[in-house]
Amino acid sequence: MRDRILVTGGTGTTGRSVAEQLVAGGAEARIATRRPSAPDQVRFDWEDTTTYGPALDGVSSVYLVAPTDRTEHLPVMLPFLEQAVAQATGRLVLLSASSLAEGGPMMGEVHAWVHAHAPRWTVLRPSWFMQNFTTQHLSSILDEGRIYSATQDGRVPFIDATDIAAVAVRALTDPALGSGEHVLTGPRALTYDEVAHAITAASGRPVGHHRLSTDELTDRYASFGIPRDYASKLAAMDDAIAHGVEDRTTDEVERLSGRPANDLVSFLTRQRAILGGDPA
C-alpha cells in the first residue's frame, strides 16, 4: 500500500513540487486546499476544524506550510497540529525559513511546538527562493528593469524550491531519517547586484538593483496593500540580510536528496522566456 501524504499549501511554490515528486516516487499526495477541484485534492481550511479529520484520514505524514495571511502562526495552526500528532502515523515536516530560529517569531514558534510534541518531525529552514525573481519581483523586472531591496551589499544563498521539495520528500517518506532541523541553501551566496547582473545575462534585458532603506521598502510593500506591521517585518528581513544573517551555505540539499543544489544562473536560464528574454 502506498504512503498517503497530506500536503498543505499543495498548490503553492514548494507544495506543488512536493506533491509532484511524491507521486513520481510512488507515494500518494493528498493536496489540501480551500477549494478542491481535482481528485487528489481535499478541502482544508486552517480555521475550519471540521476539515481536519477528512484531510488526515489514512495519512502517514504531513507537509506543513503556514497560512500566509498573518504573522502569528501558532495560534491558528495549533488545533490542526494537535490532531495531526494524534491521527497521523508518520512525520510532521514544517516549512520554516533560515532566518527564523526555533522559538523565534512566526514559524519559529511552530518549530518549537513540533519539536516538543511530535514523535517524528523535520523542520526545513530554506534561504530565499530563486522563484521570487519569477513571481514577486517579476513585474518590476519586466516593467522597470529593476529589482528592489533593502539588502544593500548583503548576500543570500538563493535556493530552488524544487530542491526544498526534494528534501521534504525524503523527510516525508524515509522513516529512518532522524528528527531535526535542516538549513537549506543554494550553492553560492550572492548580492542583489550580482542577481541583477545574472538576470540581465539570462534575459538579454538590462536589469538593475535599486537600493532602498528599510523605511522605503516598508512603504513600498504597504503600497501593495500589505498591512503595515507585516510590511515592516518583511522589510526588517532585508535589513537582516544587509547585516550578513544569510551569508552562508550548507550541503544539506545534496546530503539529503542525493544531488547537488541547483545554482541561480542555470535556474534563470531555464526561466529566460518568463524574464522577458527570447525563448531558448
Side-chain angles (χ1 to χ4, degrees), residues 43-53 76 80:
R43 183 171 178 270
F44 177 80
D45 188 329
W46 288 106
E47 296 185 295
D48 183 354
T49 59
T50 66
T51 66
Y52 296 175
V76 72
F80 176 75

Side-chain angles (χ1 to χ4, degrees), residues 47-122:
E47 296 185 295
D48 183 354
T49 59
T50 66
T51 66
Y52 296 175
L56 287 166
D57 183 39
V59 161
S60 56
S61 295
V62 182
Y63 181 64
L64 295 163
V65 178
T68 58
D69 59 352
R70 66 200 68 212
T71 57
E72 299 297 326
H73 296 106
L74 185 58
V76 72
M77 294 177 71
L78 183 57
F80 176 75
L81 293 172
E82 292 174 334
Q83 188 160 340
V85 167
Q87 193 168 336
T89 59
R91 185 190 307 266
L92 301 187
V93 177
L94 172 69
L95 178 66
S96 184
S98 59
S99 58
L100 299 173
E102 179 177 359
M106 301 171 71
M107 280 84 76
E109 291 183 318
V110 185
H111 180 164
W113 191 94
V114 299
H115 184 179
H117 296 91
R120 285 190 286 166
W121 61 277
T122 296

Side-chain angles (χ1 to χ4, degrees), residues 165-231:
V167 176
V169 167
R170 167 77 188 281
L172 290 162
T173 59
D174 182 358
L177 184 69
S179 295
E181 66 171 76
H182 304 283
V183 175
L184 307 178
T185 74
R188 189 158 64 101
L190 302 167
T191 67
Y192 272 68
D193 287 350
E194 291 170 326
V195 171
H197 179 77
I199 295 172
T200 298
S203 68
R205 304 170 70 252
V207 176
H209 172 213
H210 189 78
R211 299 180 177 211
L212 301 174
S213 68
T214 52
D215 286 343
E216 289 170 332
L217 186 59
T218 298
D219 291 342
R220 179 175 172 80
Y221 286 143
S223 74
F224 299 150
I226 297 173
R228 192 161 190 87
D229 62 334
Y230 191 17

